[in-house]
Amino acid sequence: MPSKILVIGACGQIGSELTYKLREIHGKSNVIASDINTRKLDLVNSGPFEIIDAKNFNAIKDCCKHHNIDTIYLMAALLSATGEKYPMEAWDLNMNSLFHVLNLAKGGVIQKIFWPSSIAVFGPTTPRNQTPQHTICEPTTVYGITKQVGERWCEYYHSKYGVDVRSIRYPGIISHKTMPGGGTTDYAVEIYHEAIKNGKYDCFLSANTSLPMMFMDDAIKATVDLMEASAHDLTIRSSYNLSAISFTPKDIFESIMAHLPDFEITYSPDFRQNIADSWPSSIDDSVARTDWNWKHSFDLDAVTKEMLVELDKKHGV
Ligand code: SER
């Protein structure tokens, strides 16, 4: 029997592209997309779609029963910058939605969960360079706290109740199909849009702020590969470190300048600078590389080429 999948938060930056990929692999009718509203119409109209508030346990459960769902990808969350503005909302959404799907798996309603964690689990006391899989995690953002605590609960549900939950600590994700929202790493997407549309960008991080990043295609591949990996090969049930590239706003500016020589950048760091400063600049993901053969494909120049070509189709004249 083919897997029946529910993606919660399917209109978001990662959720949307993940839904398209899962439909390609498993068939359109086997992947139910859901979100709290229908804000992304191309996604909503691309196959089965349900309006679900991720905080509503019964809504998720009813949908699982109705569609015989066995696997949930829980992609709904408030990210780092939004979480600082609405701390209780971030806690409420990020934690309750996770408990809902963990409890559905514990109760035997579903069999498998993907839940994203983040580099935000790390904090100022974490080693900044080549941050190890097992290290100090003392996050200073609400978002980071929800992800760090969530990781503990994932591991707990796996070891106590045998729940098959799998997770990745995503770095900043760069994509051209759906805009990110409310993250500290969002500048690395905005900068490409502004380069094409206006030829200049005012960056909310300073020139030399290095953060771990990844192109969307690599992030989706990692997610699919981890979910397809044999459970016997997985040694991490909290969340896997995952890494591809690290760069600064200055690096990305120079990479864009190579294609658009008139592009200009200014720097106006705001409250997100503090968040970025508390995160690692590069990640050691050797455990993911060993356990399930993770390998990235896109370096910064490949990302820049792809982004400029695709966004030129969208915004170019
Ligand atoms: N992209 C996220 C953020 O900036 C990090 O996981 O909040």
Side-chain angles (χ1 to χ4, degrees), residues 13-31:
Q13 186 200 14
I14 304 176
S16 56
E17 299 210 26
L18 185 62
T19 302
Y20 287 124
K21 175 54 84 180
L22 292 172
R23 284 186 171 155
E24 216 177 285
I25 298 171
H26 300 277
K28 215 187 233 185
S29 59
N30 291 319
V31 180

Side-chain angles (χ1 to χ4, degrees), residues 79-80 118 143 170 172 183-185 279:
L79 297 193
S80 59
S118 160
Y143 175 63
Y170 288 129
T184 301
T185 55
W279 288 350

Side-chain angles (χ1 to χ4, degrees), residues 108-181:
V109 176
I110 58 168
Q111 272 69 55
K112 212 171 180 181
I113 298 166
F114 177 81
W115 175 77
S117 185
S118 160
I119 53 166
V121 295
F122 302 119
T125 52
T126 305
R128 260 182 83 71
N129 295 313
Q130 287 301 108
T131 302
Q133 174 70 48
H134 300 285
T135 187
I136 300 166
C137 291
E138 295 181 326
T140 49
T141 62
V142 175
Y143 175 63
I145 294 170
T146 66
K147 290 298 178 186
Q148 199 251 354
V149 174
E151 287 189 8
R152 297 291 87 226
W153 280 109
C154 287
E155 197 179 274
Y156 186 88
Y157 269 68
H158 176 72
S159 69
K160 285 274 170 177
Y161 311 123
V163 167
D164 189 357
V165 53
R166 303 173 182 207
S167 178
I168 283 172
R169 289 171 177 157
Y170 288 129
I173 307 294
I174 302 167
S175 65
H176 51 77
K177 289 198 185 126
T178 309
M179 286 301 276

Side-chain angles (χ1 to χ4, degrees), residues 2-286:
S3 190
K4 285 278 272 197
I5 294 168
L6 172 64
V7 181
I8 300 174
C11 289
Q13 186 200 14
I14 304 176
S16 56
E17 299 210 26
L18 185 62
T19 302
Y20 287 124
K21 175 54 84 180
L22 292 172
R23 284 186 171 155
E24 216 177 285
I25 298 171
H26 300 277
K28 215 187 233 185
S29 59
N30 291 319
V31 180
I32 315 301
S34 74
D35 208 300
I36 193 162
N37 59 37
T38 54
R39 72 199 138 115
K40 206 172 153 44
L41 279 180
D42 54 335
L43 188 282
V44 172
N45 295 326
S46 71
F49 183 88
E50 302 263 356
I51 291 186
I52 293 180
D53 177 350
K55 299 197 294 293
N56 184 337
F57 178 74
N58 286 330
I60 302 173
K61 186 174 162 194
D62 290 348
C63 177
C64 288
K65 293 214 155 161
H66 180 71
H67 292 284
N68 286 317
I69 299 294
D70 53 65
T71 302
I72 291 183
Y73 291 73
L74 174 56
M75 310 308 288
L78 284 194
L79 297 193
S80 59
T82 315
E84 293 310 286
K85 288 187 187 149
Y86 308 103
M88 286 302 113
E89 285 81 353
W91 178 259
D92 191 22
L93 171 63
N94 296 4
M95 296 317 301
N96 284 321
S97 59
L98 175 59
F99 277 121
H100 294 342
V101 295
L102 287 173
N103 284 327
L104 285 174
K106 181 186 167 200
V109 176
I110 58 168
Q111 272 69 55
K112 212 171 180 181
I113 298 166
F114 177 81
W115 175 77
S117 185
S118 160
I119 53 166
V121 295
F122 302 119
T125 52
T126 305
R128 260 182 83 71
N129 295 313
Q130 287 301 108
T131 302
Q133 174 70 48
H134 300 285
T135 187
I136 300 166
C137 291
E138 295 181 326
T140 49
T141 62
V142 175
Y143 175 63
I145 294 170
T146 66
K147 290 298 178 186
Q148 199 251 354
V149 174
E151 287 189 8
R152 297 291 87 226
W153 280 109
C154 287
E155 197 179 274
Y156 186 88
Y157 269 68
H158 176 72
S159 69
K160 285 274 170 177
Y161 311 123
V163 167
D164 189 357
V165 53
R166 303 173 182 207
S167 178
I168 283 172
R169 289 171 177 157
Y170 288 129
I173 307 294
I174 302 167
S175 65
H176 51 77
K177 289 198 185 126
T178 309
M179 286 301 276
T184 301
T185 55
D186 296 6
Y187 91 86
V189 177
E190 289 172 8
I191 193 170
Y192 290 108
H193 285 264
E194 294 306 308
I196 295 277
K197 282 197 293 192
N198 301 319
K200 56 179 197 252
Y201 180 60
D202 187 30
C203 186
F204 58 75
L205 297 183
S206 64
N208 295 317
T209 309
S210 173
L211 288 170
M213 300 275 184
M214 179 176 289
F215 192 52
M216 179 63 87
D217 294 28
D218 278 334
I220 297 294
K221 182 178 181 301
T223 309
V224 168
D225 286 356
L226 173 61
M227 288 299 272
E228 284 177 357
S230 158
H232 298 290
D233 293 332
L234 304 182
T235 59
I236 302 292
R237 291 297 187 151
S238 51
S239 190
Y240 277 97
N241 273 12
L242 195 74
S243 149
I245 40 180
S246 284
F247 56 78
T248 65
K250 185 164 173 280
D251 295 330
I252 193 168
F253 167 66
E254 283 167 2
S255 151
I256 294 172
M257 278 267 285
H259 301 267
L260 303 171
D262 294 333
F263 181 46
E264 289 170 28
I265 192 163
T266 48
Y267 299 97
S268 309
D270 64 15
F271 73 102
R272 290 167 281 193
Q273 184 67 45
N274 282 339
I275 300 177
D277 288 341
S278 77
W279 288 350
S281 83
S282 60
I283 300 285
D284 176 350
D285 62 355
S286 46

